[in-house]
Every structure is written in C-alpha cells, then in structure tokens.
Amino acid sequence: MAREAGVSVATVDRVLNGRERVREDTARRVYEAAREVGYHAAALIEQRLKIEMPEIRMGFVLHKERQAFYQSFAREIAAAAKSASGVRTQLQIDFSASQSPSETAELLLAMADKAEVVAATAVNHPAITAAVSELKARGIPCFALLSDFAQGVREGYIGLNNLKVGRVSAWMIATAARGPGKVALFVGGHRWHGHELREAGFRSYFREAAPQFEVLDTLVNLETRQLTYEATLDMLRRHPTVRGIYIAGGGMEGAIAAVREAREPGEVVLIVNELTPESSAGLADGFVTMVNGTPLPELCRELVGQMIRVAGAGPSDLPGQVFMKQDIYLPESM
C-alpha cells in the first residue's frame, strides 16, 4: 500500500490506526491504494476519512420528478456530491410538480430547516424572488439552475447561455429547411427567463440572417406533452408551409408525436432539448433534426463545487453566471 500510494510505511500506519493527523490528500492516496491492492480494511479507511471531514447540507428543488431529464439531473447531483473531496455532503432533493411559483417558493422556504445552501430550477417571479430573499436573510444562499431567476438576490446562475442556444437553433432551421416558409416557436411559459432569452436569440437570428422565413407568434405549451401535441397538429394544419419548429422548453414528446403523425421525415426541421429516449428515437427515425443538450455531469460538478465554496466562505458580494458549453446531438452523431 505504501508503494502504491507513494508514501512511507509509517504514514500508512498512521492512516490505518488514526494515531496522528494526516493531510487529507495523503490519506486519500492511501485509501485509493488500499482499494487498488484489495486491502480488506479499505472501507474502514474511507469511513474514517468521511468522519473527519466537515459536513455540508445541500438542498435542491427541481421540476417534474417523472421526467427522464430531471431524473438524470438528480442522479448527476448525487454523483457529483459523492465525489466531492474534502467534505461530507448531505442532500435533500425535492421536486415541484408544476410551474406554479407559489409551489416552488414553498419548497424553497422549506429548505431553510434542511440545508445551508440551496439550488433550484424555477420561473422568474416575485414570489420566487421573495423566497430567495428570505433564505438569503437567514444566511442560506440560493443558486439558479438552467433558467435564471431572482437576479441581484440569488447567489449565481449555472446553466447554458440561453441567448446563444436560441440562435444556434434558428441557424439549424435556416440551414436544414427545405426552402423558405414559416417557423414556429414554443415556450413553456412567459415566466421562464431562459425561454425568453432563447426566444430573443431565435427571433434575432432570423431578422438578421434569414429574413426569408416568417416566425409565427410564440405558442405557450406549459411544458406538457398533450398540449404541445394538440397545438402542433393544429398549427401544422393551419400553416402547411411550416418549415421548422423549435421547442424552447419542455413538452417535446408531444411535438415529436404530432410531426410524426402529420409530416414525412425531414419535411419539418424539429429542434428539441435534452437527450432522452423520446428525442433519441426522433433523431433515429428522422423526425428530430437536432437536440440541444445540457452537459449535466459537468454542470453538477461545477454546482457542487460552488455550493461547497459558498458554504465555507459565505455568499459572494458579486453574484455571477457560469455558462456551460452546449451539447449538440444530430442524427449522424448518435
């Protein structure tokens, strides 16, 4: 074990028996060496390491527990917290069933007794800002995830550059469409800050670079499958020359089903978000042209690192933004 860890036998003895304090990075090297050589007490070393580490209680409020994306999000948060070095993490992950600001605000406030630092996906609404302000007054900073909210109050934003995501989506439609025509855009609701930015980027690209396309009035789908399905079918019926559809938020399953029912593969350029079984199938059969993806493992590692920093050093005087690099999935990249 000493040879594998690159330390002395005496250091290994101190780690094994807890005789004296050993630097955390050294003790962790001994633990990794114990695992590597199959030492029977490796689990005991890991347990001792964790006991000596400070504990940080982290709270998370996400949306729609049954959606594949948010299930993956929760798993990646847990994985990032488990792999964090130098601390023990205790997680509380709650889910909001709807976009209701009052429901999300209630879940955020409930975190005051469960966590010392919080992160959430939420709409940008006065009720959310009030909840984040109350948490901050109690010394509990809150991070905004994926779509920004409570600007000037929250600790920071971590997610994609949503303005750029909208422009990339518009570029793909303009590039892949079979001739000029109309383009449709769905947002989850008017209170999603990220959706507003995606819409702004989407429309600005067409105004600037592809005026041969007409962007229709924005449709709100509340991120629900059935409403998106019905609205897409109705829109395709009323506008036969629709060349592209962009789903800026959730509800893509309904759009994929409607396009599959009403058009041939490739006839409509459909852009959706996040790689799930439904969007993967759409890419495979030609009804989805591109999927915008959030790099969840990288985002969650950044998030957990930021939460650990804030828990140790306190809230920042200059709340900022961390933009993750957008993943792009195409049929031929699968």
Side-chain angles (χ1 to χ4, degrees):
M1 285 169 56
R3 184 173 59 251
E4 290 290 333
V7 299
S8 69
V9 173
T11 298
V12 172
D13 178 68
R14 289 198 298 273
V15 172
L16 289 176
N17 297 290
R19 300 184 197 281
E20 300 176 31
R21 292 280 298 177
V22 177
R23 283 171 43 188
E24 186 219 331
D25 60 336
T26 302
R28 183 162 292 279
R29 279 177 19 224
V30 173
Y31 164 64
E32 296 295 341
R35 289 182 55 194
E36 187 69 25
V37 303
Y39 183 63
H40 70 279
L44 180 61
I45 300 174
E46 181 183 27
Q47 184 179 15
R48 183 173 291 135
L49 282 172
K50 289 183 176 179
I51 289 174
E52 295 175 352
M53 294 176 185
E55 182 179 76
I56 297 176
R57 294 177 297 125
M58 300 178 175
F60 303 87
V61 177
L62 305 178
H63 277 78
K64 299 188 176 181
E65 184 174 9
R66 290 186 291 179
Q67 281 194 357
F69 172 72
Y70 283 105
Q71 291 173 0
S72 297
F73 205 167
R75 286 194 299 269
E76 292 297 341
I77 287 171
K82 184 178 180 180
S83 65
S85 62
V87 297
R88 289 178 293 139
T89 55
Q90 180 181 326
L91 306 185
Q92 176 68 41
I93 303 178
D94 293 337
F95 292 88
S96 172
S98 70
Q99 297 184 20
S100 168
S102 59
E103 180 184 1
T104 305
E106 185 177 335
L107 289 171
L108 283 170
L109 292 174
M111 285 293 177
D113 299 323
K114 306 173 186 177
E116 54 198 282
V117 57
V118 175
T121 57
V123 296
N124 194 31
H125 188 275
I128 303 297
T129 303
V132 174
S133 297
E134 184 169 336
L135 288 175
K136 184 175 183 179
R138 298 175 66 170
I140 303 171
C142 180
F143 287 88
L145 304 176
L146 306 184
S147 179
D148 206 356
F149 58 81
Q151 297 89 348
V153 182
R154 50 83 171 144
E155 176 62 24
Y157 164 77
I158 303 178
L160 300 179
N161 182 332
N162 288 303
L163 192 71
K164 184 179 291 186
V165 173
R167 289 186 65 86
V168 169
S169 301
W171 175 88
M172 177 55 74
I173 289 178
T175 301
R178 297 178 179 177
K182 298 180 179 180
V183 177
L185 167 67
F186 285 82
V187 297
H190 295 304
R191 286 289 186 175
W192 286 108
H193 186 265
H195 297 189
E196 290 182 334
L197 288 177
R198 291 183 180 192
E199 178 184 3
F202 188 78
R203 290 182 175 279
S204 68
Y205 178 86
F206 280 111
R207 286 196 304 269
E208 173 189 340
Q212 69 272 26
F213 293 92
E214 176 190 352
V215 182
L216 299 171
D217 290 340
T218 300
L219 298 167
V220 176
N221 65 358
L222 302 179
E223 299 198 307
T224 61
R225 178 191 305 247
Q226 187 62 29
L227 182 57
T228 308
Y229 169 75
E230 294 172 359
T232 302
L233 279 182
D234 178 66
M235 182 263 299
L236 290 173
R237 177 184 57 80
R238 290 186 295 106
H239 301 286
T241 60
V242 165
R243 304 300 184 194
I245 300 173
Y246 173 40
I247 310 297
M252 65 172 172
E253 301 88 353
I256 295 170
V259 172
R260 205 180 256 125
E261 182 177 322
R263 294 289 190 272
E264 294 298 318
E267 190 175 346
V268 173
V269 179
L270 178 59
I271 312 295
V272 300
N273 301 297
E274 310 306 344
L275 199 63
T276 67
E278 289 86 354
S279 60
S280 296
L283 286 170
D285 61 20
F287 287 99
V288 173
T289 306
M290 185 179 81
V291 176
N292 294 310
T294 303
L296 286 178
E298 293 86 349
L299 184 151
C300 291
R301 286 194 294 269
E302 175 69 28
L303 170 62
V304 168
Q306 292 271 2
M307 295 175 85
I308 291 171
R309 176 190 60 77
V310 168
S316 171
D317 293 331
L318 296 171
Q321 297 175 308
V322 177
F323 292 136
M324 311 306 296
K325 186 176 180 181
Q326 173 187 356
D327 288 334
I328 294 177
Y329 300 97
L330 304 170
E332 294 304 317
S333 69
M334 299 300 294

